[in-house]
């Protein structure tokens, strides 16, 4: 027996479909706190989680949060019908996983389907994530999960053409290899539609740095057009709905700081599968201050990726790289974009170019059957010939920007110099501390903010020598960040004489 | 660096402390979705979980949900200061439990403390509950948890006087033993301050049935006064803050349908400890349709209760009872209250009276050292002498009601008769189906609604014979419920000849 209620809209996003009823109306409907209801407006229907209010909602009213209001296309004062619905089946399967049992493909598909239908609450999703964290998943389950996540969103389709992709687990400041690998491989005729992320806890993501040079918010058709024309793209993944169930899972996983391996693996490979990639190279930076500190752990993760790839029909090759220090001296969106252009313009060898050519070389080894060394030389040749820079410019233009040189890139107008407080040898430059400092300087919102490192590991420095230049567009932020460097282990200087007894 | 925002109140209870900021303000504060912030008003301070809105909240505004608005005592247009706070320590301990490690008393205390301070979000609590569900807790951890939950709320204190209590795991329709056990034991000089619950999924809880006769919403001081005067009480636990962390945990557990044993055990014994009980009898009904279906499972739970009690300095004695069928023929708040009074007035032996005297007898065995048989006789004597009825009347009066007889109790004015559709023997009367039917009839909101069973298990019935009378105050509900009986396995009649081949 559905009951009728008058809509009162609460203009707040809840991250889940939610409505609020008066406690007595809830009792009359026979529902408890967090039970599910179906809400029907004149023309639409939505599922929602029911919450109760003691006094604020009168018995003939329903409080409707933004997501539900949009789905129902209702306004204040409209009438809607509400009735209880059964608990979704997927709750049984979440329990099954909590009990340590193996889920079938159809059960996993049902969970992801309910997730997409917004019929699972955040607490239920937290239980699902906890279940996977504590009980794990077999490679078969993980493959089913990856397929279900991939199918939850849009996919790119390039027909019979060979599509490749690269991905980095991240955590290394200044690692903008994608901005060089993509043009190299695209210039050699491979399709590489790269969807990248924005900074989460770092100074800049690939999408942020690329956005300094061109538009990165493209829809699926625009991406298709750019890649058809240039073979590559470098766009923000958040603007398209590839593997969209993953975004919903990440929204719950991040605040919990829970990264169960099956979710980490499926998250990355579902996106790659949705890009249509048949060959994928995954960079796993390892070292102190990186996401993975231990080489053996990195290798185990590599095997898991390759194994899962095999179940998905994707050839995955992982690289373990040194992630203990920033890859380049320029950290921050504009500083990084500028360095990428400088590197391609001046064809100057640096760690960024070397790593990019190594990665491109491995990809060429996989798809063209050449040796890795030959692949590396082929990649470097594309840089030396200017083909890589030309390809990057084409991609920039097709995505909606103008051809640029490194000199056109504006970085922050305010600078401060960080100097060595004592003489010694630099023992460590910390990724996390560099990212934190950049954020104090205004990154990632202030694209011009960042840090230029002036000293590298192993180097001897004198007291008062420049260690880094802090860059920002805000005076207050610059002053605050400079003051904070006293507590940040940004550049660690090892004294030559530790102590005099 | 705290930032200042203008308050916009959202008059909605969120079940957790929550505020909403514009996405850019969140980035400026350096916080992510679901991070914690401290919010400071003119005179108060509160912790809250931060959510973001794209457009609805302007960059100088903060959306404040009801809980936070109350704590801060702010109104629309007030200014507050917001700054990020560290992740609470307890998240590390929740992770530790997810990793299967043992928590110390201080770690458990920190989690419950943060829970009470509202610094844990519902998803984090869901992860905690999932962790306990998948990894379990030792009896020592469970005892620490019970103590922390007990200390989270108010406690009753009767000095040196002997306090006892009883509890039923529930799930048996019509089981109003507390309303007879409490007056029996109180009339024999034991202090028994019984806090009871309302119906969750059943037709009526002890608090609902007692409310037909008197006020059950008493505060701590009123309870103390009633028990000082009469030795007993029968009040609604929801009106006092005994073991209040438990209520918050249940708010998350119930919709998840997760009942990890350590939480079940601690939930019950924390409330008993807060009542000040030194001796506790726990009734564990077992059987088809009860919460626990298997006797061995019931016995294992009994050992866990007794074991945990020993760690808490409480002598716990469990009883395994037959929970496969309703205990009495009258189900529904008023019908049950009426039957309790009739039983005590007419001193008529029935299952309700027998079970009550058995439970009271076991308690007398524990505290007075008499044999259980002697205890049973002593209990029955209190009923026969009229002392139990007189004590119940005293409690009713002290709680704010008037002396009543069973004839004063008003039950629903509309009746419908459910008849046997065929001849046969009654093989089962289902608790869950009876509860469901009562709720269709309007229970628990309609105190007069319920079911009077007219046939019991084992009995032979003829086609057309009365099986039950449905009672309600709503014509629509009565018609709807009667129609639904066709699909409900309320009374199962076994045909004598199953089939004729």
């Amino acid at each position: 027996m559905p009951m009728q209620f008058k809509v009162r809209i609460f203009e707040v996003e809840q991250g889940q479909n939610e409505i609020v009823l008066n406690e007595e109306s809830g009792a009359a409907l026979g529902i408890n706190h967090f039970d599910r209801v179906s809400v029907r407006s004149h023309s639409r229907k939505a599922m929602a989680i029911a919450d109760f209010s003691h006094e604020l909602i009168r018995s003939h009213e329903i409080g409707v949060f933004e997501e539900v209001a949009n789905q129902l296309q209702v306004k204040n004062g409209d009438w809607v019908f509400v009735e209880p619905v059964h608990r979704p089946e997927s709750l049984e399967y979440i329990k099954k996983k909590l009990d340590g049992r193996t889920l079938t493909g159809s059960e996993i598909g049902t969970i992801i389907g309910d997730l997409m239908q917004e019929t699972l609450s955040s607490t239920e999703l937290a239980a699902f994530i906890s279940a996977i964290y504590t009980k794990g998943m077999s490679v078969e389950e993980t493959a089913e999960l990856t397929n279900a996540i991939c199918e939850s969103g849009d996919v790119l389709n390039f027909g019979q053409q060979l599509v490749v992709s690269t991905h980095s687990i991240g955590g290394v400041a200044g690692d903008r290899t994608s901005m060089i690998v993509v043009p190299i491989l695209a210039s050699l005729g491979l399709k590489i539609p790269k969807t990248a992320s924005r900074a989460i806890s770092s100074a800049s993501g690939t999408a942020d740095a690329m956005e300094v040079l061109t538009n990165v918010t493209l829809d699926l058709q625009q991406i298709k057009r750019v890649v058809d024309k240039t073979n590559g793209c470098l766009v923000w993944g958040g603007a398209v709905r590839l593997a969209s169930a993953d975004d919903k899972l990440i929204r719950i996983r991040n605040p919990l700081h829970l990264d169960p391996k099956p979710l980490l693996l499926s998250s990355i490979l579902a996106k790659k599968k949705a890009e249509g990639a048949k060959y994928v190279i995954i960079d796993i930076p390892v070292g102190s201050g990186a996401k993975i500190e231990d080489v053996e752990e990195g290798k185990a993760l590599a095997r898991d990726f390759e194994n899962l790839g095999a179940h998905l029909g994707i050839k995955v090759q992982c690289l373990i790289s040194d992630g203990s220090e920033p890859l380049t001296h320029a950290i921050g969106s504009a500083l990084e974009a500028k360095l990428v252009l400088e590197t391609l313009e001046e064809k100057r060898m640096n760690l960024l170019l070397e790593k990019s050519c190594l990665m491109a070389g491995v990809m060429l080894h996989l798809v063209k059957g050449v040796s890795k060394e030959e692949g590396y030389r082929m990649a470097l040749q594309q840089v030396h010939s200017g083909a890589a820079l030309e390809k990057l410019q084409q991609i920039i233009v097709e995505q909606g920007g103008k051809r640029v040189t490194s000199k056109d890139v504006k970085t922050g107008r305010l600078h401060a110099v960080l100097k060595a407080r004592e003489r010694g040898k630099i023992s460590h430059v910390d990724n996390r501390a560099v990212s934190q400092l950049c954020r104090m300087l205004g990154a990632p919102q202030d694209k011009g903010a960042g840090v230029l490192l002036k000293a590298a590991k192993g180097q001897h420095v004198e007291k008062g020598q420049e260690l880094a230049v802090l860059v920002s567009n805000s005076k207050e932020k610059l002053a605050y960040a400079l003051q904070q460097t006293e507590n940040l282990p940004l550049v660690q200087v090892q004294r030559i004489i530790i102590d005099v007894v």
Side-chain angles (χ1 to χ4, degrees), chain A:
Chain A
M1 287 187 296
M3 288 173 62
Q4 211 173 3
F5 297 95
K6 199 169 186 173
V7 169
R8 237 176 88 189
I9 293 180
F10 294 119
E11 297 190 337
V12 182
E13 282 178 34
Q14 285 295 88
Q16 64 180 23
N17 277 18
E18 197 175 321
I19 57 105
V20 188
L21 293 173
N22 175 288
E23 282 200 335
E24 293 206 346
S25 318
L29 275 166
I31 55 173
N32 291 311
H33 187 246
F34 285 165
D35 273 354
R36 278 158 199 78
V37 291
S38 122
V39 188
R40 197 153 40 79
S41 66
H42 179 63
S43 56
R44 308 272 174 141
K45 197 172 158 178
M47 303 293 237
I49 312 279
D51 206 339
F52 297 127
S53 168
H54 297 293
E55 295 157 9
L56 293 158
I57 297 281
R58 280 176 295 172
S59 56
H60 67 282
E61 285 180 330
I62 179 171
V64 173
F65 284 97
E66 202 182 334
E67 288 92 340
V68 181
N70 289 341
Q71 286 167 44
L72 293 177
Q73 304 194 324
V74 288
K75 53 185 195 310
N76 278 313
D78 283 355
W79 289 87
V80 292
F81 285 98
V82 177
E83 66 185 318
V85 292
H86 285 295
R87 278 163 61 79
E89 253 179 286
S90 48
L91 291 182
E92 293 311 310
Y93 309 144
I94 292 174
K95 185 105 183 298
K96 188 175 171 186
K97 182 41 74 184
L98 280 166
D99 287 331
R101 289 184 291 147
T102 303
L103 299 181
T104 66
S106 116
E107 289 166 347
I108 290 170
T110 304
I111 294 173
I112 298 301
D114 282 343
L115 166 71
M116 292 306 293
Q117 291 290 312
E118 301 288 353
T119 47
L120 290 172
S121 70
S122 344
T123 54
E124 288 153 358
L125 290 172
F128 180 50
I129 289 161
S130 303
I132 297 175
Y133 183 82
T134 54
K135 302 296 180 174
M137 273 188 159
S138 69
V139 64
E140 289 79 12
E141 282 177 292
T142 312
E144 296 284 5
L145 179 64
T146 312
N147 284 327
I149 291 175
C150 177
E151 285 156 20
S152 72
D154 293 330
V155 293
L156 283 165
N157 191 341
F158 296 97
Q160 294 303 310
Q161 295 178 82
L162 189 65
V163 178
V164 303
S165 195
T166 61
H167 182 82
S168 174
I169 298 299
V172 177
D175 189 347
R176 288 289 77 84
T177 37
S178 297
M179 286 174 74
I180 297 183
V181 171
V182 168
I184 289 176
L185 294 176
S187 73
L188 286 163
L190 299 179
K191 294 271 170 212
I192 181 161
K194 171 76 183 164
T195 60
S197 55
R198 293 191 186 276
I200 299 167
S201 59
S202 69
S204 166
T206 294
D208 299 306
M210 192 66 187
E211 202 173 32
V212 172
L213 309 179
T214 186
N215 174 36
V216 295
T217 305
L218 277 69
D219 66 24
L220 214 65
Q221 265 138 9
Q222 292 169 324
I223 291 176
K224 184 83 170 57
R225 192 186 49 74
V226 172
V227 178
D228 279 341
K229 192 138 179 193
T230 69
N231 282 341
C233 72
L234 283 149
V235 299
W236 176 42
V240 279
R241 283 171 28 91
L242 298 186
S244 58
D246 187 51
D247 300 335
K248 289 172 188 274
L249 285 170
I250 284 176
R251 212 176 136 90
I252 305 291
R253 265 165 63 192
N254 275 350
L256 287 174
H257 290 216
L258 280 186
D259 251 344
K261 213 186 240 186
L263 288 180
L264 176 74
L265 298 169
S266 60
S267 167
I268 292 167
L269 290 191
K271 286 227 155 70
K272 295 298 142 190
K273 197 176 169 186
E275 289 174 1
K278 289 286 166 205
Y279 293 86
V280 173
I281 290 182
I282 297 178
D283 172 33
I284 305 179
V286 168
S288 162
K291 284 193 187 164
I292 292 171
E293 306 234 323
D294 173 63
V295 174
E296 286 313 311
E297 198 189 331
K299 285 186 181 168
L301 184 62
R303 281 190 298 273
D304 288 335
F305 267 120
E306 292 168 6
N307 209 350
L308 177 59
H311 276 78
L312 299 168
I314 299 175
K315 171 72 189 164
V316 177
Q317 173 76 58
C318 294
L319 309 176
I320 308 283
S321 64
D322 177 5
S324 60
E325 320 250 325
L327 189 66
T328 62
H329 68 279
I331 325 290
S333 301
L335 293 167
E336 292 170 12
K338 193 181 182 76
L339 180 67
V340 164
L341 288 174
E342 279 170 2
T343 302
L344 293 177
E345 285 162 2
E346 301 168 14
K347 296 144 194 180
R348 190 175 53 184
M349 186 45 76
N350 59 23
L351 278 176
L352 174 65
L353 181 56
E354 181 155 12
K355 185 170 177 181
S356 302
C357 289
L358 283 167
M359 284 178 75
V362 173
M363 184 63 88
L364 293 169
H365 164 67
L366 291 183
V367 298
K368 301 219 184 247
V370 300
S371 73
K372 285 173 193 161
E373 295 69 26
E374 179 58 23
Y376 174 83
R377 277 191 295 272
M378 285 167 71
L380 195 55
Q381 174 55 26
Q382 295 306 98
V383 175
H384 283 147
S385 72
L389 177 59
E390 176 54 28
K391 183 54 76 179
L392 180 59
Q393 299 285 10
Q394 283 174 18
I395 292 172
I396 287 170
V397 169
E398 287 305 320
Q399 288 187 195
K402 291 184 184 156
R403 299 180 81 91
V404 279
T405 68
S406 58
K407 294 199 171 48
D408 301 329
V409 178
K410 282 205 184 66
T411 59
R413 65 202 154 73
L414 302 169
H415 292 208
V417 174
L418 178 67
K419 292 180 177 165
R421 280 187 211 91
E422 53 196 334
R423 182 171 180 256
K425 187 182 163 186
I426 294 178
S427 61
H428 180 59
V429 183
D430 195 76
N431 274 313
R432 285 186 193 145
V434 171
S435 293
Q436 230 180 316
L437 187 62
C438 290
R439 291 181 83 97
M440 289 176 194
L441 289 162
Q445 287 77 36
D446 176 358
K447 298 251 181 208
V451 171
L452 281 168
L453 296 168
K454 294 290 186 180
K457 183 171 168 176
Q459 192 179 327
H460 281 275
V461 290
E462 295 299 323
K463 184 173 173 182
Q465 189 176 330
E466 278 194 12
L467 291 179
V469 179
L470 316 191
V471 183
S472 180
N473 284 306
S474 152
K475 216 166 162 179
E476 293 74 29
K477 285 186 175 160
L478 193 65
Y480 177 71
L482 194 62
Q483 176 206 326
Q484 290 298 313
T485 54
E486 295 188 23
N487 312 315
L488 272 182
L490 182 72
V491 175
Q492 285 157 37
V493 178
Q494 199 177 0
R495 278 184 271 176
I496 292 163
I497 295 166
I498 306 269
D499 207 352
V500 181
V501 190

